[in-house]
Amino acid sequence: SRLMKELGRNGVTVVILPSNLSAAYPHADLKVREALDRAAEKVGPRFKNQPLTEAAVRSAIGSAFYGVGEYAKAGSHFERSLELRRVALGPDHFNTLSSLEGVMISNQSQGKYAAAASLGAQLVEAKKRVLGPEHPDTLRSMMNLANAYGMMGRTDESRPLRAQVLEIQKRKLGSDHPDSLATMANLAVSLIHQDRHAEAETLAAETVERSKRVLGPEHPSTLEAMQVLASAYAAQRKYKAAISLRAQVQ
């Protein structure tokens, strides 16, 4: 997962678990990919004089390509959708911002973190202006931007963003909400990278406890939180505790 990749930048060995069908069974969605390729070839000619329809179809195809791990193809369709919507709807329309977010996450999933961060910063500013600073879509974009910063090692920028999002989520959703728990795990990773290991351990331990109670002990998010806590232990040379926790994840 993206979180485990970011955690791995710290030089800590982590257990990577398959997170989707494509990772576990690489041939399972071959027919889906072929069908998407055929559909993509027809979009331009078929909707030549219907820009908003073409934009909607390309956005849908982009989402489908993204779902099967074809991030470059997804990005190309999101980019065309963005071009069409900017002209027809303007830069601040919700659908235009949705296409921009598609381009951003496609870049991030291809490892193009600088491009993703640049687009993400634009997206956050636009959503704050259009939707408000505490709208769920704004918070999601803030987290995506923080993730891009995190993957680039720009922890001084990722941690404050994550902390800001978490404060809003706790206030509006509560500490046990899955979104709050995900942000807590991400923030703990930022703390590890800033060598604030004791704080990271405290936050990660709380995340594990809440995740086990709310989501269950075998939920993927719970397992990721356990990995983060194990890394916080290892960073403090609490190797016995780290090994014991990782054994539970495996």
Side-chain angles (χ1 to χ4, degrees), residues 111-126:
K112 300 177 180 179
Y113 302 121
S118 177
L119 293 169
Q122 297 175 40
L123 190 61
V124 167
E125 289 307 309

Side-chain angles (χ1 to χ4, degrees), residues 175-193:
S175 298
D176 284 345
H177 191 281
D179 289 351
S180 301
L181 296 174
T183 304
M184 289 169 67
N186 279 274
L187 180 55
V189 170
S190 292
L191 291 169
I192 290 173
H193 288 313

Side-chain angles (χ1 to χ4, degrees), residues 16-39:
I16 304 299
L17 302 173
S19 58
N20 55 47
L21 183 63
S22 299
Y25 304 99
H27 303 297
D29 51 15
L30 181 59
K31 291 184 178 180
V32 175
R33 295 167 192 251
E34 292 173 348
L36 286 172
D37 283 332
R38 289 194 297 270

Side-chain angles (χ1 to χ4, degrees), residues 56-71:
V57 172
R58 287 193 181 277
S59 183
I61 291 176
S63 295
F65 270 127
Y66 189 91
V68 296
E70 293 281 1
Y71 304 127

Side-chain angles (χ1 to χ4, degrees), residues 153-172:
R154 292 164 61 175
T155 309
D156 288 343
E157 292 165 278
S158 67
R159 187 197 58 77
L161 265 178
R162 287 168 173 167
Q164 183 181 355
V165 170
L166 181 59
E167 186 278 324
I168 297 170
Q169 289 173 331
K170 283 185 172 181
R171 176 161 41 83
K172 301 193 74 165

Side-chain angles (χ1 to χ4, degrees), residues 5-116:
K5 288 180 181 178
E6 182 181 339
L7 188 59
R9 285 197 313 101
N10 203 43
V12 179
T13 302
V14 297
V15 178
I16 304 299
L17 302 173
S19 58
N20 55 47
L21 183 63
S22 299
Y25 304 99
H27 303 297
D29 51 15
L30 181 59
K31 291 184 178 180
V32 175
R33 295 167 192 251
E34 292 173 348
L36 286 172
D37 283 332
R38 289 194 297 270
E41 292 174 357
K42 302 175 183 178
V43 174
R46 183 172 181 180
F47 301 107
K48 185 175 182 180
N49 298 314
Q50 304 174 63
L52 289 179
T53 302
E54 180 183 346
V57 172
R58 287 193 181 277
S59 183
I61 291 176
S63 295
F65 270 127
Y66 189 91
V68 296
E70 293 281 1
Y71 304 127
K73 291 181 180 179
S76 68
H77 286 282
F78 283 129
E79 286 171 0
R80 178 57 180 159
S81 176
L82 177 60
E83 292 172 2
L84 293 166
R85 284 173 167 169
R86 274 178 170 163
V87 172
L89 301 174
D92 285 345
H93 192 280
F94 182 81
N95 288 346
T96 306
L97 298 180
S98 177
S99 295
L100 178 58
E101 189 155 39
V103 178
M104 185 268 181
I105 62 171
S106 295
N107 274 281
Q108 183 168 299
S109 295
Q110 293 176 79
K112 300 177 180 179
Y113 302 121

